[in-house]
Amino acid sequence: MTTTSNATPIPGKIALAPRTAARVATVQGLYQMDLAGTDLNAVIDEFVRLRFPKLPGDEAAAGADPAFFAELLRGVVRRQRDIDPLVDQQLAEGWRLVRIDAIVRAILRAGVFELMERPDVPHRVVINEYINVAHSFFSDDEPKVVNGVLDKLARKLRPAEFNRDAGK
């Protein structure tokens, strides 16, 4: 999980739905903010003006829902002090959020934010979306890590959804 990655999805993926593209863009934006220290509003402006209209080579962000993207990015930044300890508690012993790959860190932060703040999106959808986002960047074990951490946190953050599922 200490592999070095960049914020460009693996080429050859199909066009994404607007919200899925917004999630991928959120991960890219969080990565940019994390590594380059870019300002939140500058990242939102760059993505909405330049990347969403479809820059060559950045097809993953093309067609993203700009309002959803901005909400996710602002929300992760606003709730990061709450999100990071939750993620830290779910990682394997000896691992901390600051030690894992920056893209995985961004995926987990965005996924946890949605689990915390977007009850209109079912937990299964949130988890599946971020597993798919992880697959767009990685071909190794990272999607499994995303699945495990988000599943554990979904059970803690949304127990009522799991109780409903158990009653079916």
Side-chain angles (χ1 to χ4, degrees), residues 24-44:
V24 171
T26 297
V27 168
Q28 291 173 312
L30 290 169
Y31 176 88
Q32 183 174 331
M33 291 171 62
D34 193 17
L35 292 183
T38 311
D39 175 71
L40 170 66
N41 292 321
V43 170
I44 291 171

Side-chain angles (χ1 to χ4, degrees), residues 1 4 8 53 59 108-109 118 120 133:
M1 212 167 34
T4 303
T8 306
E59 290 81 12
L108 291 173
R109 284 174 172 158
R118 294 300 307 251
D120 59 310
V133 169

Side-chain angles (χ1 to χ4, degrees), residues 42-55:
V43 170
I44 291 171
D45 181 61
E46 174 190 332
F47 275 74
V48 171
R49 282 188 320 99
L50 301 175
R51 294 189 184 200
F52 294 169
K54 191 169 183 175
L55 275 179

